[in-house]
Amino acid sequence: MQVHIGEGAEKTLQQEEEARREFIAELWRRFEALQEWAVSHWPDQQHPLSSADFVETRKEILSLRSPAGSLNQPATRDAAEPEQGGAQYQDVTPAPWP
């Protein structure tokens, strides 16, 4: 049995890329709507929210645009495995906010 890899496989990759781009565009639209709602409905008027409060979220969403974005980044394999003398435990807990 022969497996034909060619135009069909390319279309599938193109379709996946198009679906990813559509998802990101829809995510961005929904995030913008959520941000507007949050700013307008924030209950603490003495300390109002602004678009600057959402900068980090915007960065994360925009990082999804590149194929090597935060969701598609491969795990780093530079470190030695524990059986090869590498660390048995790696702390991935973020540092507390100052």
Side-chain angles (χ1 to χ4, degrees), residues 19 32 36 41 47 50 53 60 66 92:
E32 288 291 317
E36 288 176 25
H41 289 85
H47 304 96
S50 72
D53 295 311
E60 287 294 321
S66 67
V92 294

Side-chain angles (χ1 to χ4, degrees), residues 78-95:
D78 297 338
E81 294 293 324
E83 61 269 11
Q84 298 168 338
Q88 297 257 335
Y89 172 78
Q90 292 180 350
D91 186 9
V92 294
T93 307

Side-chain angles (χ1 to χ4, degrees), residues 9-85:
E10 240 178 73
K11 286 183 181 178
T12 302
L13 293 175
Q14 289 174 349
Q15 290 170 346
E16 287 178 11
E17 179 64 20
E18 183 61 31
R20 188 175 67 80
R21 289 181 186 273
E22 288 176 13
F23 174 81
I24 294 167
E26 181 65 23
L27 178 63
W28 186 262
R29 284 190 290 275
R30 289 180 183 213
F31 171 71
E32 288 291 317
L34 175 65
Q35 178 182 316
E36 288 176 25
W37 177 86
V39 169
S40 64
H41 289 85
W42 182 248
D44 187 358
Q45 294 302 317
Q46 292 179 344
H47 304 96
L49 287 177
S50 72
S51 61
D53 295 311
F54 299 92
V55 169
E56 292 302 317
T57 306
R58 269 191 239 106
K59 286 180 189 177
E60 287 294 321
I61 293 172
L62 292 174
S63 75
L64 296 174
R65 289 193 294 183
S66 67
S70 61
L71 293 180
N72 291 329
Q73 287 180 355
T76 56
R77 297 282 181 192
D78 297 338
E81 294 293 324
E83 61 269 11
Q84 298 168 338

